[in-house]
Structure formats: C-alpha cells, structure tokens
Amino acid sequence: MRVRTSSVLAASLVLALSAGPLAAPSFAAPPTGAAAAHRSPGPDANALRAALAMVPGDHATAALVRVGGTNGSRRGSAGVRDLASGRPAYPNASFRAGSITKVVTAATVLRLAAEGDVDLDAAVQDYLPGLFTEDFDQPISVRQLLNHTSGIPAGDGLGDDFAALYPRRFDTLSPREDVASAIAKGPESGPGERQHYLNVNYTILGFLIEKVTGRSYAAEATRLVLRPAGMTHTYFPGTDPRIRGPHNRGYQTVERPDGTTELLDVTEWNQADRWAAGDMISTTADLERLLTSLFRGRIVPQPQLEEMFTTPAGLPDATRSAGLEYEKVGDQVFWGKSGSRYGYSALMGGTRDLSRTLVYSVNATDAKSAARNPVLDAITAAALK
C-alpha cells in the first residue's frame, strides 16, 4: 500500500461563498514598520470561488475557509461530508487541527509564565527531574522547548509512514512512551544551536504544564486559553478515535499493489501520542477566535506575548517562535500555524495587526505529503492577495 495522489474522486460540487462587512478590529497596539503599514484591497472573492470550485476533486473532498481583516471578510465551504452519500459538506464542521495545538500549548505556558509559575529561562530538567538521561548534561530552557531549539530528537512513534501507521490507527502510544524513546537516543544537537521543528518539544511542555499546576494539560489549556478565547467547540480527544459532532470525513489516497488507487477513510484515528503537540479538534470559527484573541493580547499579556513573535537569537534562518512561525508574502509578514493529520489539513494565521487573517480546514487526500496541494495554494493565494 503506497500513498499517492491521483484522480479518483467523482462527486458533484457544493459551493457556498458569501461576503459581508466586517468591523475594523480594535488592536492591542498600533502596527509598526513597512509591512504593517501596507494595505491590500481585500481578499479576491473570485479567486476564492475558483479555489473552492476545485473541491471535491483530486486533492480534497471538502474545504472550509474564513478570511477576515480590515477590508472585509469571506466565508466559504465546498465539497462533501462523505463520499458515500455525496451530501454537502458541513460548513461549521469539527476537524483535526493537528499541530495548531502547539499554539494553544505555547499560550498556556506563556500564561503560566505571566503568572509567575514558569520561568522561561529555567532548565526544564529542574522542572521535570528524572525525565532526562545523563546524556542531556546541558540545561535546556523552557524557551528552547517553545522555539524548537532544545536539541532533543524525535520519538519513534508507531511507524514511519502511512502504510505502517494505518493498521495501528486505533492503538494507543502514550506521550510518556513517545518521549522516552526520544530521550533514549541522546541529544541530536546542543541547546540553542539550531532550530528543528519536532513534536517532542511540545509534548514535554505538556508534562511541564501538568507538573507546575497539578492539573491535566487539557484542563489547564481549557482554563487559560480555550475558555478566554471563547472556543466552545474545541476539545482534546485523548484516546477517543472519533470526532464528536458534525464533521466531514477524511480520506487518504493510496495505491494498491496492482497499481490502481483507492481512498481509505481515515476519520477515526487514535492520536493520543500527539497530545499537547497535535491532538486537538476544533472548528474554523474557534480558530479564528483564537487567532484574534491572541494577537489582540487578550490571552497572553505583554511582555510574554512577544515570545510568540520573536524567533531565536543567533539563528538568522529560523522562522519559528513560541507556537507560531512567519512567512513573508510580498511586503507583508504573516504569522500563524498549520497542522495536518491524515485526511485533514488546517491553517490559522494573519498579519500581526489583523489587517488580514486566514483560517481554513481542507480535507486533503494527501494531507501528510511533502508535495504541494493545489487547493491549499489556491486558497492561500486568493486570501492573501
């Protein structure tokens, strides 16, 4: 069984794209610099319609899009909720947000730092004695976990590719087991020497949250981030492989031994090992609330909020901060986070002054592929034009 994108979908298009006025947001601080001063005319409605018209198709079975900012908003949905029925996709569906979970984890840690419960410069070895082997003889700061410069390698997981993981999709690998397999390998680099984006950093941050608060990660993330942001349809499923409530089913295109292809339903999947690094279920509306609440300073106060917009010093090629990453588009700088699990690709991001924001969930048929997905590219290009 080999993963491959191919032309196997044949379903009628369901498209809804509406435009409406959006009040200018009240920013926590005025924009600064040339990038913040730039204003584009607004999202390209025709291009967004064209992007959604690609769904369902070779690369996605459903898509949900929310574009916002000072120059108007767009809300769109396309595709089907499942291939068997061909019914229109739920426009407010829940979905696996993948690594966007890291934004919530980072915000939780930074809230604890603002309250004096966590020192970002302190060694995580001091907070979690016994977790590391003697090979980790250099102190790793909490900040280095947040910005992926810890030097800790990846854990082994349940498999290296879809063919190995799919038969084990209902198995439980605990976060402790995953981290233990990473720690057993010893450091892959010295703390602060390079930025290497890995889930293990945020899994350990989940342990840190539980240690300093005495409560579960889910409880603290809900108390400090989800509830203040008004994210009433977001939750952490743990070992439950299901997605609760209305949702659009996810599929993965694979190649059979005889060279033909099929779409496997990957909606139900135990993601417990991803935990604080990638095991969150949300909606586009909730992720938009998270984005705007964070950027307006309503979740993480200054100066801790600056950690989310600061890449590590001494690493000029680093693009990741505490929970976020940035990308330059023309003369604008967009901060945000993407996430993917098999069957689901998601993104939330925007300019720091919220003059343009984008949140989407696309039921991509190649969600974990390194190849570019034309549906995601078309949505992003139309939204950020």
Side-chain angles (χ1 to χ4, degrees):
M1 179 172 59
R2 185 168 49 143
V3 178
R4 191 182 75 176
T5 55
S6 58
S7 300
V8 296
L9 300 179
S12 60
L13 175 69
V14 180
L15 176 65
L17 184 65
S18 60
L22 182 71
S26 173
F27 301 122
T32 59
H38 175 80
R39 291 291 181 272
S40 57
D44 188 327
N46 290 331
L48 278 170
R49 291 189 181 94
L52 290 178
M54 300 168 67
V55 183
D58 291 351
H59 304 285
T61 58
L64 313 175
V65 182
R66 300 175 74 90
V67 184
T70 56
N71 294 305
S73 66
R74 297 289 186 273
R75 305 287 183 263
S77 65
V80 295
R81 68 185 67 173
D82 64 85
L83 294 179
S85 72
R87 291 175 296 176
Y90 290 110
N92 301 309
S94 295
F95 54 85
R96 300 193 188 280
S99 286
I100 297 177
T101 310
K102 293 181 177 70
V103 180
V104 172
T105 302
T108 302
V109 172
L110 294 173
R111 278 288 303 272
L112 292 171
E115 295 172 3
D117 295 323
V118 172
D119 181 351
L120 300 183
D121 294 313
V124 68
Q125 290 97 325
D126 293 337
Y127 283 109
L128 300 169
L131 180 65
F132 293 88
T133 64
E134 294 181 356
D135 292 332
F136 291 86
D137 56 354
Q138 297 184 63
I140 299 168
S141 71
V142 176
R143 180 178 285 106
Q144 288 166 338
L145 289 176
L146 285 165
N147 63 28
H148 298 281
T149 60
S150 68
I152 304 169
D156 291 335
L158 289 172
D160 295 329
D161 56 22
F162 181 80
L165 288 167
Y166 182 72
R168 304 191 65 184
R169 64 193 182 279
F170 299 122
D171 293 353
T172 296
L173 176 68
S174 75
R176 291 280 175 184
E177 292 172 311
D178 189 52
V179 169
S181 69
I183 297 298
K185 300 174 185 179
E188 65 176 14
S189 64
E193 290 183 359
R194 70 186 184 109
Q195 188 171 71
H196 187 188
Y197 175 78
L198 291 173
N199 287 327
V200 66
N201 295 298
Y202 276 69
T203 303
I204 295 173
L205 286 171
F207 298 159
L208 172 68
I209 291 167
E210 294 193 335
K211 183 62 180 291
V212 301
T213 65
R215 292 179 288 273
S216 72
Y217 163 77
E220 283 302 283
T222 300
R223 180 179 72 89
L224 294 175
V225 180
L226 303 191
R227 192 173 298 132
M231 300 171 70
T232 57
H233 294 91
T234 299
Y235 70 98
F236 306 98
T239 59
D240 187 349
R242 300 166 299 174
I243 299 176
R244 299 200 302 256
H247 58 278
N248 302 316
R249 301 195 71 82
Y251 300 88
Q252 173 66 43
T253 305
V254 300
E255 184 177 356
R256 300 187 184 100
D258 63 1
T260 61
T261 59
E262 66 176 325
L263 281 178
L264 292 182
D265 191 321
V266 293
T267 309
E268 277 79 43
W269 201 303
N270 182 345
Q271 308 279 350
D273 61 310
R274 300 301 174 182
W275 197 44
D279 188 25
M280 183 173 74
I281 290 174
S282 191
T283 65
T284 53
D286 270 10
L287 293 184
E288 189 174 61
R289 293 184 185 100
L290 173 63
L291 177 70
T292 55
S293 296
L294 270 177
F295 284 25
R296 290 173 180 168
R298 294 175 179 172
I299 306 297
V300 178
Q302 295 286 357
Q304 287 77 21
L305 181 61
E306 289 305 309
E307 298 286 340
M308 304 195 84
F309 299 98
T310 303
T311 55
L315 299 176
D317 295 328
T319 60
R320 299 181 185 275
S321 61
L324 300 176
E325 58 184 309
Y326 77 86
E327 183 171 349
K328 293 181 179 179
V329 181
D331 59 354
Q332 298 189 92
V333 177
F334 289 87
W335 290 88
K337 188 72 188 73
S338 61
S340 64
R341 304 308 306 145
Y342 286 112
Y344 300 89
S345 293
L347 177 140
M348 56 163 267
T351 54
R352 186 170 180 181
D353 65 0
L354 297 174
S355 59
R356 181 64 54 81
T357 64
L358 169 63
V359 176
Y360 67 63
S361 169
V362 174
N363 292 60
T365 59
D366 61 345
K368 300 297 288 184
S369 172
R372 299 190 70 89
N373 186 307
V375 174
L376 306 187
D377 288 348
I379 291 172
T380 303
L384 303 185
K385 184 174 180 179

